Each structure stands twice: as structure tokens, then as C-alpha cells.
Amino acid sequence: PWKQRLSKFKQGLTQGAKMKLLFTVMALRGIDPKTQGHLISHQIFDGDGIFLAKQGYRMQSAGLGYKDYETPSAADVMVNAFRRYLNVAARQTQDMGMDSMARAVLPDNSHNGGYNDDMLRSTMLDRYESHTKHCPICKSALERGQAKERRLGIVQTALLGACGASSTALAGLGICALATTLAIPGSVFAITAGLVAATSGAAFGVSKQKALISKKNQQFVFEDYVHADKN
């Protein structure tokens, strides 16, 4: 059976050969492994981002800070050291006049600090400002996707115009056939109807492709995180 042959083929591959095969399949499907790795990281961090924002707001409202946590284990030493470093870096950022950036990691104890319970999810889970525009891999992928989306939009508009024109022509032929004694060959009706079907079908296909590209582009800007939708 083909499943057994496939299993033997996989077992005979080295780890390097398996990775090359995986990258080849991804390339054939138009998937950039580097870009995909970044998008997978977003999916992981998005879930953490919501939790940490809510937790930060509750601590901020109660006037609590990281020192209020019980951190007795040796594993907490580096965490506390990083928190102290972050506080120093945030204060220096404030001294440079970039208060909004500093408050993201060093909020005050008011409701105007770095956390806000009614923060827009598009802000909380932003991907463009926090990553894409600074990452050459993701920025390039987004620009290519946006260019493709624009091209598909132009093609879609042209096809819709052609569909409208052929539909009008078909309707005109029908009126002429009914209202006049002019003999119109059946082949003319068939060709015109074929044009209507072809252009409308092509426009629908391009529309679906454009929607797919738009959804992919949105992954580099903002994608809402719904835990119930995750596997």
C-alpha cells in the first residue's frame, strides 16, 4: 500500500533531508519559511499579550508592582534582574522624552498609565507598529502582498466591467430579437452568453483570491485572538 511505501520513504530520510523536503513543499505552496516562523511567533505571543495586559491593569489599579510578587526560588533571580534592568531603561527612555514608550513597561499607578482595561484589541495585539515595520522579512512580505492585492483589484474591476458590458449586450440582443424582425444568429447569443459566464466566473475567482491575499496581509498588521478558535 502507498501508506507503507511513504512510511518507509520517510524513515529512510535524514533529518536534513526532511527539512529540505519540508522547505521545498512550502516553497511550492508559496510559503516563505522565515515569514511563517514569524507569524507562528505572533500567534503564541498574542495569547500571552492579552493575559499580561489584563494582569498589568489589575496590578496597576491596586498600586502593585513586580516587587509584590513572591519570588523565592533561584529561577526568579534572572527574572528580577531583568525587571530591574527594564525599569532603568524605561526611566532613561522617559528622560529622552519618549514617555509613551516608557509607560509600556513602567506604568504609573493611575488609570492613565501604561495599562488600560478598555484598550482596543487592535492596539493591544498590534503587529505592524510593534514588529512588521521594523522587520525586513515581514515588511517585505507585506509590501509584496499589498502589491499583489492592488493588481488583483485592477483585474477584478476590469472583469466586472467586461461582465457588465457583455450582460448589457446580451440583454440588447434579447430585446432586438423580441421587438424586431431582425434575425440574430443563435451563435451570437451563445458567444455573448459565454462571455457573460466567463467574465463573471473569472471575476468571482479573482475576488476570492484577492480576499485570501488581503487576509494574509492582515496577519502582518492585526489579527484578533479568540481562544475558542484555537486548536
Side-chain angles (χ1 to χ4, degrees):
W2 68 270
K3 289 185 178 180
Q4 291 181 351
R5 290 196 295 269
L6 180 61
S7 178
K8 289 182 180 179
F9 173 73
K10 289 181 178 179
Q11 291 175 2
L13 292 175
T14 63
Q15 188 63 31
K18 288 180 181 178
M19 293 302 296
K20 288 181 180 179
L21 180 60
L22 174 62
F23 289 155
T24 301
V25 172
M26 294 177 70
L28 291 173
R29 297 184 61 184
I31 301 174
D32 181 1
K34 292 182 179 180
T35 303
Q36 193 64 24
H38 288 217
L39 294 178
I40 291 174
S41 297
H42 281 310
Q43 294 175 5
I44 296 172
F45 295 139
D46 283 350
D48 294 340
I50 294 176
F51 168 77
L52 292 174
K54 295 293 184 181
Q55 181 190 43
Y57 174 76
R58 293 182 66 181
M59 292 180 62
Q60 174 182 286
S61 300
L64 301 175
Y66 77 96
K67 292 183 179 179
D68 295 295
Y69 277 96
E70 291 291 336
T71 53
S73 70
D76 297 319
V77 173
M78 294 303 298
V79 175
N80 290 332
F82 176 72
R83 183 68 251 190
R84 290 193 295 271
Y85 156 77
L86 202 59
N87 285 349
V88 172
R91 291 192 181 95
Q92 291 178 352
T93 304
Q94 282 181 319
D95 294 339
M96 295 171 64
M98 295 182 284
D99 288 343
S100 60
M101 185 180 296
R103 282 200 302 270
V105 294
L106 187 65
D108 57 33
N109 291 327
S110 71
H111 292 287
N112 295 321
Y115 298 102
N116 193 334
D117 196 41
D118 59 355
M119 181 186 297
L120 294 175
R121 294 174 74 86
S122 58
T123 301
M124 186 189 305
L125 301 176
D126 162 71
R127 293 181 179 181
Y128 182 79
E129 293 293 334
S130 63
H131 177 83
T132 301
K133 77 175 186 179
H134 306 289
C135 172
I137 295 173
C138 293
K139 185 178 180 181
S140 177
L142 176 60
E143 289 173 348
R144 291 196 303 271
Q146 289 174 332
K148 188 173 183 179
E149 187 178 354
R150 287 193 295 270
R151 290 195 297 269
L152 288 173
I154 294 172
V155 173
Q156 182 184 13
T157 301
L159 287 171
L160 289 173
C163 180
S166 55
S167 298
T168 303
L170 183 61
L173 289 173
I175 293 173
C176 288
L178 293 174
T180 68
T181 58
L182 182 65
I184 301 176
S187 59
V188 175
F189 277 102
I191 292 172
T192 308
L195 287 173
V196 173
T199 52
S200 61
F204 177 76
V206 171
S207 175
K208 295 287 286 184
Q209 182 68 15
K210 182 172 176 286
L212 180 63
I213 296 299
S214 178
K215 184 177 180 180
K216 289 183 178 179
N217 290 340
Q218 188 62 27
Q219 294 179 22
F220 296 100
V221 180
F222 161 71
E223 190 175 73
D224 201 2
Y225 182 91
V226 181
H227 181 73
D229 294 342
K230 305 301 177 182
N231 295 326

